[in-house]
Amino acid sequence: MYRVSKLALRSPSLLKTQLFSTATKSSATQLFHPTEEHVALRQMLRSFVESEVDPQALVHNRTETFNVELFRKLGSLGLLGITVEPEYGGSGMDATAACIAHEELSAADPAFCLSYLAHSMLFVNNLARNGSHEQKLKYLPKACTGELICGMGMSEPSVGTDVLGMSTTAKLTPDGKHYLINGAKMWITNGTIDGKSTGDAFLVYAKTDPTQRGGGLTSFLVDKGMPGFTLGQKIEDKCGMRASMTAELVFSDVKVPIENVVGEVGKASLCMMRNLEIERVTLAAMALGIARRSIEVMTRYSQERKAFGKPIAEYGQIQKAIAESYAEYMAGRSYVYNFAASLELSTYGNGLDADGVKLFCAPMAKRVADRAIQCLGGYGYVGEYQVERLWRDAKLLEIGGGTNEAHHKNMVRDLRKSGKIE
Amino acid sequence: MKVLVPIKRVIDYAVKVRVLPDKSGVDLNNVKMSLNPFCEIAIEEAVRLKEKKIATELVAVSIGPKAAQDSIRTALAMGVDKGIHIETNLRTDQELQPLAVAKLLKEVAKREDAKLVVLGKQSIDSDNGQVGQMLASLLDWPQVTFASKVTFADDKQSLTVDRETDKGSEVVQVTVPAVVTADLRLNEPRYASLPNIMKAKKKPIETLAADSLIDAKDLQPRNTVLKVEEPAARKAGEIVDSVDSLINSLKNKAKVI
């Protein structure tokens, strides 16, 4: 796939933000893109985002539509299967690469990036780590090209943080060949693409044995078109992440073959644990993208806008806003990439910092975007100047993928166990 | 057929360029550098020739400090097979000049037994637009510059090239070996996909010292840069109230008619 020549794109508009040089080879930048491949990935993404993602962000936010064509371009770039082994159609890269992809895409369109995350991390990565060879062969190659657009269903209308309180059940049929799934899942990103029918494939969590402690939580592959599996509703009028489709999915005696059980029956909490860390670190990386763009916009604007004869960048309150934003962003960025460097995709047990990076970065992104709106004054309040959209999009990160409160709960549970910090 | 693609690492097109305080040149410190846009277009054209099975092997070559390898890596990630880095510490935006570059590239072209050289029409730092032409002359090969379309004949020996000139478009036919320089509208370069970025890791880059290919004195600049200045600030425009007033201003103030 091709891009418009950079020279032809040159336009001196206020909206076009200047890129900070990544020329310095300090140890800090080594952390953010440790190998040449990571550097090349980030450069390619910056270029792609500038010419393909930035121009479409505002209109998709306004119309609440998902850009399927752009999503499939991510497929041709090898981004949809970024953590999947090449034998299944993926690019075989690490958690750091996943963070780079999420940070870069989010700088321009966090909503689009959220759909990317739900597909590539919540479905694709989960299946790559937990699925059988046959299951992976069946779904991953098409998910990696974007032919299938997928998601994951865990939360329900009445259940979020209290995951084990879910009421979706899966009952084994008398002949032992199928499970019947009943229930509803809520807040499912990519739950619908066209607004009228479900997305293509989902990893759905359901209880196979409500009498058991934990309920026998099991993970199932559910396909579009399975009788009984329907779109409850497309969720409209969201505050932010509007270019990402969110839906309620309904399961009414959905007959799922036992071959579609991912991992072992009753052992899905293992699947969940393995995936939660990459999910949270990439959500935190999304927050970084939002923060970086907000800083770029307010830094540029404050040099150009004048008040009382001088650029507003010379006033203390603006300086405070920009400087504090930068320092908080770099602190978050260092936390995220340091953690990502230690994250082995096939293991788990680093929950504390997975919660920690998101707990720090999500509110940070919201704060930084808020300061950016304030710096831009009236213009900050208007869609064309990006920052109000980034602010609305940032808010979701304090809720989705784990609320701030869920992180508090998890982190204290983990800290109580470990006691000493190295 | 082996195709040689000379490329250059230059200041990124979006950077606000500043002049050094002593006016000896442009400030390159901590400034974002990228692959020259016309070089990118040349790489894309070469990769397409390989996809059409006209080119059998693509070699990218870049001259400059160690960091020039970044540009070679980008070329490898786009589909080039191997890279050659000619190392020199001369400033590539003003000290290493077109004739020296052309002489170095002539050696590489002969060494690699290339049958086609595809390169950008000019670099966006020095904007000389001379290397392609000088190289063709040194090699005694035909040249087609400012190419906006390249079509090979079935025999893979002759090519028809549309070239953009000040008067319009012109169609030229040449046979290999030849030098072609790429203009803006030749193609739209591809993004390096992640799988290709990974593959590029295994592709070789050979480093050669510039003075091992040609005489050290031929590398030295033939023109000395005395002073580099920012362009004069644009004066404000003037709004006129009638055609007569306009003609008067054009004649007496701007002195263009």
Side-chain angles (χ1 to χ4, degrees):
Chain A
M1 52 135 318
Y2 307 100
R3 83 190 113 154
V4 179
S5 163
K6 288 180 197 164
L7 294 175
L9 265 187
R10 208 148 165 191
S11 73
S13 75
L14 182 66
L15 301 173
K16 204 154 184 301
T17 49
Q18 214 66 287
L19 304 172
F20 287 135
S21 162
T22 49
T24 53
K25 299 249 185 249
S26 70
S27 59
T29 54
Q30 283 296 88
L31 182 64
F32 306 141
H33 20 263
T35 69
E36 273 170 1
E37 290 73 50
H38 292 106
V39 172
L41 173 62
R42 200 184 280 279
Q43 277 172 358
M44 178 269 276
L45 279 162
R46 279 280 160 114
S47 198
F48 174 76
V49 162
E50 184 185 344
S51 34
E52 311 268 344
V53 185
D54 265 310
Q56 57 86 56
L58 187 58
V59 64
H60 283 85
N61 162 77
R62 185 183 300 139
T63 56
E64 287 188 273
T65 48
F66 175 56
N67 195 338
V68 176
E69 202 187 306
L70 188 63
F71 188 80
R72 298 219 161 101
K73 283 187 184 174
L74 296 181
S76 62
L77 288 173
L79 295 169
L80 295 180
I82 194 167
T83 55
V84 174
E85 303 97 310
E87 68 181 290
Y88 298 113
S91 301
M93 287 207 81
D94 55 10
T96 300
C99 287
I100 290 172
H102 286 84
E103 182 185 353
E104 295 299 320
L105 286 170
S106 237
D109 194 344
F112 178 73
C113 189
L114 189 67
S115 288
Y116 168 62
L117 192 155
H119 174 90
S120 298
M121 300 293 112
L122 306 186
F123 180 90
V124 172
N125 184 71
N126 192 329
L127 191 61
R129 303 281 91 78
N130 296 303
S132 68
H133 176 67
E134 291 73 31
Q135 288 168 338
K136 292 196 262 197
L137 267 179
K138 185 176 173 201
Y139 291 90
L140 292 183
K142 289 186 184 165
C144 290
T145 59
E147 192 183 326
L148 293 177
I149 302 179
C150 315
M152 183 275 290
M154 195 186 295
S155 292
E156 299 183 352
S158 310
V159 166
T161 302
D162 181 19
V163 164
L164 292 181
M166 70 169 72
S167 53
T168 301
T169 55
K171 194 162 157 190
L172 190 62
T173 53
D175 66 4
K177 291 192 182 152
H178 292 90
Y179 277 90
L180 293 177
I181 300 184
N182 279 286
K185 293 294 183 187
M186 189 67 165
W187 313 120
I188 310 309
T189 301
N190 300 339
T192 178
I193 306 297
D194 58 9
K196 301 182 199 120
S197 59
T198 69
D200 297 317
F202 297 89
L203 280 170
V204 178
Y205 291 87
K207 286 180 172 171
T208 50
D209 186 359
T211 64
Q212 216 189 91
R213 182 169 176 259
L217 206 63
T218 307
S219 172
F220 296 89
L221 281 159
V222 178
D223 296 327
K224 178 180 186 143
M226 280 180 170
F229 176 41
T230 53
L231 173 66
Q233 51 169 326
K234 176 188 166 196
I235 294 162
E236 315 247 292
D237 303 321
K238 297 201 300 287
C239 165
M241 302 297 189
R242 290 165 56 89
S244 175
M245 301 293 95
T246 318
E248 182 186 13
L249 297 175
V250 177
F251 303 81
S252 185
D253 276 343
V254 181
K255 204 164 161 188
V256 172
I258 53 172
E259 289 76 33
N260 282 26
V261 170
V262 178
E264 286 179 57
V265 174
K267 302 257 169 75
S269 47
L270 188 62
C271 301
M272 263 202 298
M273 301 287 277
R274 280 194 184 132
N275 220 53
L276 235 38
E277 288 163 29
I278 190 77
E279 177 184 343
R280 287 177 177 161
V281 78
T282 47
L283 282 163
M286 281 183 59
L288 296 177
I290 289 173
R292 194 190 80 223
R293 179 55 68 88
S294 301
I295 295 167
E296 287 168 351
V297 172
M298 68 174 141
T299 305
R300 172 105 182 238
Y301 182 85
S302 61
Q303 286 169 53
E304 293 173 358
R305 171 80 180 197
K306 289 200 173 130
F308 304 104
K310 53 184 185 176
I312 61 173
E314 296 190 21
Y315 291 95
Q317 294 108 318
I318 303 295
Q319 291 169 349
K320 178 175 198 263
I322 295 173
E324 288 184 355
S325 297
Y326 177 78
E328 289 171 28
Y329 159 67
M330 285 302 272
R333 206 181 190 205
S334 304
Y335 191 10
V336 167
Y337 283 96
N338 189 45
F339 174 58
S342 67
L343 225 184
E344 281 276 354
L345 292 169
S346 51
T347 64
Y348 63 98
N350 303 306
L352 178 61
D353 287 309
D355 282 291
V357 292
K358 186 165 169 298
L359 180 64
F360 180 81
C361 291
M364 181 273 289
K366 185 184 69 176
R367 264 196 318 273
V368 171
D370 190 83
R371 289 185 193 122
I373 295 179
Q374 198 65 19
C375 281
L376 265 60
Y379 294 99
Y381 206 57
V382 167
E384 196 185 334
Y385 287 75
Q386 300 179 69
V387 290
E388 63 80 32
R389 175 172 54 85
L390 295 174
W391 181 74
R392 289 184 286 107
D393 290 345
K395 181 62 196 169
L396 183 276
L397 299 174
E398 293 187 290
I399 300 168
T403 55
N404 292 342
E405 294 77 14
H407 300 315
H408 298 160
K409 173 176 77 69
N410 297 338
M411 290 172 77
V412 171
R413 175 199 67 206
D414 289 344
L415 281 167
R416 269 214 289 253
K417 277 186 233 161
S418 60
K420 231 175 159 172
I421 299 166
E422 291 300 317
Chain B
M1 176 178 65
K2 216 187 222 188
V3 178
L4 185 67
V5 188
I7 59 178
K8 190 178 180 188
R9 183 170 178 266
V10 297
I11 293 188
D12 186 82
Y13 80 102
V15 166
K16 275 207 175 96
V17 169
R18 263 181 260 275
V19 174
L20 289 167
D22 63 359
K23 301 200 177 174
S24 59
V26 156
D27 188 0
L28 294 175
N29 273 314
N30 278 345
V31 144
K32 181 166 197 263
M33 306 288 278
S34 310
L35 181 55
N36 183 44
F38 295 108
C39 296
E40 230 173 347
I41 295 172
I43 296 169
E44 175 64 29
E45 199 61 24
V47 174
R48 290 187 189 187
L49 286 176
K50 189 166 176 217
E51 286 170 346
K52 288 180 205 160
K53 306 222 193 297
I54 293 167
T56 50
E57 192 185 346
L58 306 177
V59 181
V61 54
S62 196
I63 309 166
K66 184 135 197 294
Q69 291 193 17
D70 291 350
S71 296
I72 299 178
R73 294 245 171 258
T74 306
L76 295 175
M78 280 173 74
V80 166
D81 298 301
K82 73 173 198 192
I84 298 174
H85 167 221
I86 301 177
E87 197 154 12
T88 175
N89 285 316
L90 290 168
R91 271 186 74 130
T92 50
D93 63 340
Q94 58 190 51
E95 288 172 353
L96 184 71
Q97 295 177 353
L99 186 55
V101 173
K103 287 182 175 177
L104 285 167
L105 292 180
K106 174 193 172 190
E107 295 311 311
V108 176
K110 280 172 40 197
R111 188 181 188 263
E112 293 296 313
D113 194 26
K115 289 284 177 282
L116 183 68
V117 180
V118 183
L119 64 161
K121 70 172 180 179
Q122 67 196 65
S123 62
I124 62 171
D125 48 10
S126 43
D127 280 314
N128 290 309
Q130 299 168 4
V131 170
Q133 294 88 326
M134 287 178 170
L135 175 62
S137 182
L138 290 171
L139 285 167
D140 199 25
W141 288 4
Q143 59 177 272
V144 189
T145 53
F146 318 129
S148 61
K149 187 167 164 194
V150 172
T151 316
F152 264 84
D154 290 335
D155 65 359
K156 299 182 190 176
Q157 294 302 303
S158 82
L159 48 152
T160 308
V161 183
D162 290 16
R163 59 185 296 261
E164 303 202 8
T165 70
D166 291 334
K167 291 190 204 157
S169 196
E170 165 179 63
V171 182
V172 177
Q173 192 181 65
V174 291
T175 51
V176 295
V179 173
V180 175
T181 78
D183 209 323
L184 184 67
R185 275 163 279 276
L186 179 57
N187 59 48
E188 285 171 20
R190 66 193 61 198
Y191 295 102
S193 72
L194 196 44
N196 284 338
I197 289 173
M198 304 287 287
K199 275 187 216 153
K201 195 166 43 176
K202 303 192 189 91
K203 295 180 184 175
I205 299 181
E206 192 189 349
T207 304
L208 303 165
D211 56 14
S212 70
L213 287 174
I214 66 174
D215 221 64
K217 69 168 167 44
D218 283 337
L219 286 169
Q220 295 309 311
R222 287 163 174 262
N223 305 314
T224 314
V225 170
L226 297 174
K227 185 170 64 170
V228 175
E229 283 178 325
E230 302 211 359
R234 268 183 71 174
K235 284 192 274 222
E238 187 191 308
I239 298 187
V240 295
D241 54 9
S242 69
V243 173
D244 287 335
S245 190
L246 173 65
I247 294 172
N248 184 40
S249 292
L250 286 172
K251 191 167 182 203
N252 298 316
K253 285 193 192 166
K255 297 191 173 33
V256 291
I257 56 169

